[in-house]
Tab-separated table of all heavy atoms in Angstrom:
chain	number	residue	atom	x	y	z
A	661	ARG	N	-20.895	-4.461	29.353
A	661	ARG	CA	-20.607	-5.771	29.930
A	661	ARG	C	-19.970	-5.588	31.299
A	661	ARG	O	-18.971	-4.870	31.431
A	661	ARG	CB	-19.651	-6.541	29.024
A	661	ARG	CG	-19.282	-7.895	29.609
A	661	ARG	CD	-18.383	-8.691	28.693
A	661	ARG	NE	-17.050	-8.128	28.620
A	661	ARG	CZ	-16.104	-8.583	27.806
A	661	ARG	NH1	-16.361	-9.574	26.972
A	661	ARG	NH2	-14.907	-8.034	27.801
A	664	ASP	N	-15.381	-8.876	33.376
A	664	ASP	CA	-15.286	-10.184	32.740
A	664	ASP	C	-13.943	-10.905	32.905
A	664	ASP	O	-13.919	-12.120	33.054
A	664	ASP	CB	-15.596	-10.004	31.241
A	664	ASP	CG	-15.451	-11.289	30.448
A	664	ASP	OD1	-16.113	-12.277	30.803
A	664	ASP	OD2	-14.677	-11.299	29.480
A	709	ARG	N	-13.612	-16.020	36.359
A	709	ARG	CA	-13.854	-14.862	35.492
A	709	ARG	C	-15.322	-14.794	35.124
A	709	ARG	O	-16.111	-15.657	35.504
A	709	ARG	CB	-13.009	-14.966	34.226
A	709	ARG	CG	-13.248	-16.248	33.450
A	709	ARG	CD	-12.643	-16.202	32.077
A	709	ARG	NE	-13.320	-15.210	31.268
A	709	ARG	CZ	-13.459	-15.318	29.945
A	709	ARG	NH1	-12.968	-16.352	29.301
A	709	ARG	NH2	-14.100	-14.391	29.281
A	751	LEU	N	-20.275	-14.578	30.320
A	751	LEU	CA	-19.876	-15.965	30.564
A	751	LEU	C	-20.895	-16.768	31.371
A	751	LEU	O	-20.533	-17.595	32.199
A	751	LEU	CB	-18.516	-15.993	31.274
A	751	LEU	CG	-17.638	-17.191	30.908
A	751	LEU	CD1	-17.042	-16.997	29.529
A	751	LEU	CD2	-16.542	-17.397	31.933
A	787	MET	N	-24.339	-12.403	27.578
A	787	MET	CA	-23.528	-12.797	26.459
A	787	MET	C	-23.659	-14.302	26.332
A	787	MET	O	-23.639	-15.002	27.341
A	787	MET	CB	-22.077	-12.475	26.795
A	787	MET	CG	-21.421	-11.644	25.762
A	787	MET	SD	-19.892	-11.056	26.399
A	787	MET	CE	-19.060	-10.798	24.873
A	789	GLU	N	-21.632	-17.155	25.200
A	789	GLU	CA	-20.266	-17.452	24.780
A	789	GLU	C	-19.790	-18.810	25.272
A	789	GLU	O	-18.619	-19.147	25.161
A	789	GLU	CB	-19.308	-16.345	25.232
A	789	GLU	CG	-19.462	-15.952	26.682
A	789	GLU	CD	-18.698	-14.677	27.044
A	789	GLU	OE1	-17.722	-14.355	26.361
A	789	GLU	OE2	-19.099	-14.021	28.020
A	813	ASP	N	-15.176	-15.740	22.308
A	813	ASP	CA	-15.120	-16.811	23.302
A	813	ASP	C	-15.949	-18.015	22.883
A	813	ASP	O	-15.570	-19.147	23.143
A	813	ASP	CB	-15.599	-16.301	24.672
A	813	ASP	CG	-14.431	-15.745	25.476
A	813	ASP	OD1	-13.273	-16.064	25.118
A	813	ASP	OD2	-14.668	-15.005	26.450
B	1005	LIG	MG1	-15.937	-13.339	26.521
Side-chain angles (χ1 to χ4, degrees):
R661 178 178 71 185
D664 177 56
R709 57 168 294 211
L751 213 75
M787 234 168 155
E789 48 191 335
D813 270 343

